Each structure stands twice: as C-alpha cells, then as structure tokens.
Amino acid sequence: MKFIYITIILLIATSSFSQNRKKVRLNLTNALVVAQLDNPEDRYSLEALFTQVLTDHGVKAQPSLNYIKQGQDSKNLASDSIRQILKQKGIDTYILVSIRGYDKRYKPSKRIVSLEEALSEASIYNLYRQDIISVSFEFKFYRNGEFIMNDIIRCANIGDRAKVLKRFGKKTSKRLRKRWLPRP
C-alpha cells in the first residue's frame, strides 16, 4: 500500500515539475538592444553585432546608442520621452545584454527587477579577458516596461575578442530561431 502512495506522489511531482520547466516562447518582432558593458568599445561592438543578427532574422531592431549619448546613464532609456519615441517607431521590447561571468555554467537569475533598476545595473566584466575559455551572456527581456523572461548563452572555446564576437553571433542566431522568434 505504501508503494502505491509513493508511486502516485512521484508521478504527480514529476508531472508538475515538468510543466514548470517548459520554455517560454518570446515571439520577438522588435527590440531595442542595450549592452550593459563598461568599456565603450565592447558596448558598441556587442550592440552593433546583436542588432545585425536580429535584423537578419526579420526583427525590427535598433541599438540603444542611437538614443543616448556615449557616457550617458542607460537609465535614461526608461524615461517617458524616449519610450514615446520608441513607441512611435514600433519598438516596445528592450533586450538587456550583459556578461554574467567567465569559465562557469551560470543559470539565469531568478531575481526580477524593474526596467529602470535593470538599466542602472552594469557589468564589471569585459568582453574578453586573457586566459579565459568561455563567456556567459545574460539576456533580460522587457516588453512595455514589464519583465518577460531572461536567458543565458555561453560561448566556449574562445581565444581572443574576435572569436567571442563570432561565437556570440552564431549562438544568438541559433537561440533566436529556437526560442525567441515567433513560429512560422
């Protein structure tokens, strides 16, 4: 009798656990790309590359550097005036990209913060650092100012800055097709 109860409990727990782990489909059609890096050169490179990858997949995308001056606080992107400009251009989704760390398998953060707070955060890591073999990028998605989801992409077997960018482009392109774009 105990065996039957234990079996039923395990089946219920397993089915509810599998339902909680389903991947959310983002249905991305437009985006403002915000790279959260301290180094201006890295920020520009990452925003330009990611914007190009999104555009190649039919997503209406623009880099945040078109809307704020270099050195200006990214938190200004959450202001009402910039939101109105973006809304007129048909952009309602913000994608915040930051480096989560090196050489480990990171999981997406469970902490949910407002768009303003997320924009004020910065990454202390550079795009490339000597003697590292992998970089984990975290993506946070906000639509109409509300948090939707986050995701992690890990780029491994890197040897220089150019390889980091090349692998980032390939990995994000693949992830776009799998989880972020609407199904055809």
Side-chain angles (χ1 to χ4, degrees), residues 4-154:
I4 294 172
Y5 288 130
I6 292 172
T7 306
I8 291 172
I9 290 170
L10 286 175
L11 287 174
I12 291 170
T14 305
S15 68
S16 66
F17 179 72
S18 65
Q19 289 174 0
N20 291 339
R21 294 189 44 98
K22 285 184 180 177
K23 299 290 184 197
V24 176
R25 192 125 184 120
L26 186 60
N27 296 325
L28 190 64
T29 57
N30 62 67
L32 177 73
V33 176
V34 183
Q36 295 183 296
L37 301 170
D38 285 338
N39 184 341
E41 182 182 343
D42 289 348
R43 182 176 180 186
Y44 175 79
S45 298
L46 196 62
E47 281 191 16
L49 175 64
F50 192 38
T51 301
Q52 185 62 46
V53 169
L54 289 168
T55 304
D56 290 347
H57 286 85
V59 176
K60 184 178 182 179
Q62 295 202 349
S64 69
L65 295 173
N66 289 354
Y67 297 97
I68 58 172
K69 296 177 183 172
Q70 187 172 358
Q72 196 175 21
D73 191 5
S74 295
K75 196 163 54 169
N76 293 338
L77 291 169
S79 70
D80 289 336
S81 59
I82 292 182
R83 279 189 183 181
Q84 287 299 331
I85 293 169
L86 291 171
K87 194 173 191 177
Q88 289 173 353
K89 293 187 178 197
I91 295 177
D92 64 352
T93 306
Y94 286 63
I95 304 176
L96 282 57
V97 184
S98 62
I99 295 176
R100 183 74 185 256
Y102 306 117
D103 300 332
K104 293 184 181 176
R105 290 196 179 265
Y106 292 95
K107 294 183 180 178
S109 173
K110 302 239 186 247
R111 196 180 111 198
I112 298 174
V113 297
S114 67
L115 177 60
E116 293 80 12
E117 189 177 341
L119 285 169
S120 66
E121 296 174 353
S123 177
I124 60 171
Y125 301 106
N126 290 325
L127 195 57
Y128 174 74
R129 190 172 75 190
Q130 201 163 0
D131 299 328
I132 62 167
I133 57 172
S134 68
V135 178
S136 295
F137 293 92
E138 183 172 30
F139 298 83
K140 293 180 184 177
F141 298 90
Y142 289 85
R143 186 167 288 145
N144 295 321
E146 297 294 320
F147 178 80
I148 300 174
M149 67 176 268
N150 58 358
D151 204 355
I152 294 273
I153 291 181
R154 182 172 173 255

